């Protein structure tokens, strides 16, 4: 009986040392609730704005989008999001590649004559947290 209690205590104690976190992302400032919000999480500079680690598509309600990413390993990340207002499944750009639909990046990073940089958008997630971005 003592072994069962000890084993149970050990299992429960390891659960408290979980290496994974929950990341809640709140994006505000949408001009309308029309369309969907695309949110992507990246774990490296090489993947940033190219190949997301994980992504979700959510409805916009009250000019705000909220998404929760569960069970992410602790580490360095960056987030991007865009408002697919016309529902075509992509970020529309003009002939020069400048986005015609609203977008946001973690740390509210902005690019100058180019897309935002990973170094400006990255953050460390050591514990579960909420990231707020403005579209």
């Amino acid at each position: 009986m003592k072994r069962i209690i000890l084993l149970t205590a050990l299992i429960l104690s390891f659960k408290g040392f979980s290496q994974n976190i929950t990341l809640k992302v709140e994006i505000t400032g949408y001009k309308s609730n029309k369309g969907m919000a695309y949110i992507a999480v990246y774990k490296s500079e090489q993947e940033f704005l190219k190949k997301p680690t994980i992504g979700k598509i959510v409805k916009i309600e009250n000019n705000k989008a909220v998404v929760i990413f569960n069970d992410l390993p602790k580490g360095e990340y960056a987030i991007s999001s865009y408002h697919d207002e016309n529902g075509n499944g992509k970020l529309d750009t003009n002939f020069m590649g400048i986005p015609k639909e609203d977008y946001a990046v973690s740390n509210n990073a902005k690019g100058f004559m180019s897309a935002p940089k990973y170094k400006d958008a990255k953050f460390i997630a050591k514990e579960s947290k909420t990231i707020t971005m403005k579209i």
Side-chain angles (χ1 to χ4, degrees):
M1 184 65 162
K2 287 182 182 181
R3 286 184 184 188
I4 293 173
I5 293 172
L6 180 60
L7 183 59
T8 302
L10 282 172
I11 291 170
L12 292 175
S13 69
F14 283 122
K15 190 171 182 127
F17 292 106
S18 172
Q19 295 299 309
N20 294 333
I21 57 141
T22 296
L23 191 60
K24 181 178 180 182
V25 181
E26 296 179 353
I27 305 164
T28 62
Y30 289 93
K31 295 175 192 167
S32 76
N33 294 323
K34 184 179 175 187
M36 302 294 277
Y38 284 65
I39 298 104
V41 177
Y42 305 89
K43 65 179 178 181
S44 72
E45 185 172 7
Q46 294 75 25
E47 296 176 354
F48 186 58
L49 302 179
K50 296 176 189 114
K51 183 182 175 194
T53 301
I54 188 169
K56 292 189 179 184
I57 304 167
V58 297
K59 289 182 180 183
I60 300 163
E61 297 177 353
N62 299 318
N63 299 67
K64 180 179 180 180
V66 177
V67 64
I68 296 175
F69 296 98
N70 291 307
D71 209 28
L72 288 175
K74 294 176 183 179
E76 184 178 276
Y77 294 100
I79 301 169
S80 73
S81 176
Y82 71 91
H83 182 186
D84 183 20
E85 194 167 12
N86 63 8
N88 67 352
K90 64 180 185 173
L91 175 64
D92 294 327
T93 59
N94 65 17
F95 69 96
M96 293 177 57
I98 298 169
K100 296 194 295 186
E101 293 176 303
D102 291 331
Y103 67 93
V105 176
S106 47
N107 297 330
N108 292 312
K110 301 288 182 201
F112 179 72
M113 303 296 285
S114 67
K117 305 288 185 220
Y118 179 80
K119 68 180 180 79
D120 298 325
K122 70 181 179 178
F123 60 92
I124 302 295
K126 295 179 183 177
E127 59 189 25
S128 296
K129 64 190 310 180
T130 299
I131 302 291
T132 304
M133 300 167 26
K134 182 154 176 41
I135 199 90

